[in-house]
Amino acid sequence: MIRIREIDHLVLRVVDLEKMLQFYCDVLGCSVERRQDEIGLVQLRAGSSLIDLVPVDGQLGRAGGKAPGIQGRNLDHFCLRVEPFDAAAISAHLRAHGAAPGAVAQRYGAEGEGPSIYVTDPEGNTVELKGPPHTHADSR
């Protein structure tokens, strides 16, 4: 059984990064938490969650298909924070239900860097299942 704690983050594919930053920061009150311009990713703090903006002309954005619009989608994926996070048990659970989990990888989320698994739902939506962040004690 997978126990979802909350939404960790969602990822929006954007055409005009500056307009989106202005809207989410100036209008809605988010703040820029982290930028990775080399791959095309800006992460905004939205309370205890993150909203990731991925320009469609950047490295990550080009991998996502057409730009947002009638024929394209702008939601790349959403992420659910899972607790407890047992990668082997989660992967086995997904496989037992006919889903094909991706490899476990370390990714940055609302609470920091930690393990996650991608899976695709029956309609083709990508869902990231995210574990807890690493602590300083983890690196000892």
Side-chain angles (χ1 to χ4, degrees):
M1 172 66 80
I2 296 173
R3 288 188 31 213
I4 297 169
R5 193 180 83 180
E6 62 197 6
I7 292 177
D8 183 272
H9 67 273
L10 60 89
V11 181
L12 295 176
R13 299 177 69 248
V14 304
V15 174
D16 189 330
L17 178 61
E18 291 311 311
K19 273 188 180 174
M20 293 294 276
L21 283 170
Q22 181 181 17
F23 176 79
Y24 281 97
C25 294
D26 298 345
V27 177
L28 296 184
C30 295
S31 60
V32 175
E33 177 157 321
R34 190 168 170 229
R35 286 188 82 119
Q36 292 183 282
D37 292 323
E38 66 280 0
I39 61 170
L41 173 65
V42 179
Q43 295 177 294
L44 305 178
R45 175 60 56 185
S48 63
S49 301
L50 291 177
I51 298 171
D52 295 355
L53 302 180
V54 175
V56 296
D57 59 354
Q59 179 182 335
L60 292 177
R62 286 190 302 273
K66 291 186 178 195
I70 294 172
Q71 297 298 316
R73 59 190 175 100
N74 68 339
L75 178 65
D76 180 80
H77 74 274
F78 66 95
C79 177
L80 299 172
R81 176 66 164 80
V82 176
E83 196 170 280
F85 188 87
D86 179 332
I90 290 169
S91 294
H93 176 81
L94 292 170
R95 283 188 201 94
H97 287 84
V104 178
Q106 300 302 307
R107 297 183 178 92
Y108 189 82
E111 298 176 312
E113 191 85 20
S116 78
I117 298 171
Y118 285 122
V119 65
T120 303
D121 76 14
E123 296 276 327
N125 296 297
T126 301
V127 181
E128 181 181 355
L129 302 174
K130 185 88 172 64
H134 295 297
T135 63
H136 294 297
D138 293 339
S139 59
R140 286 187 207 158

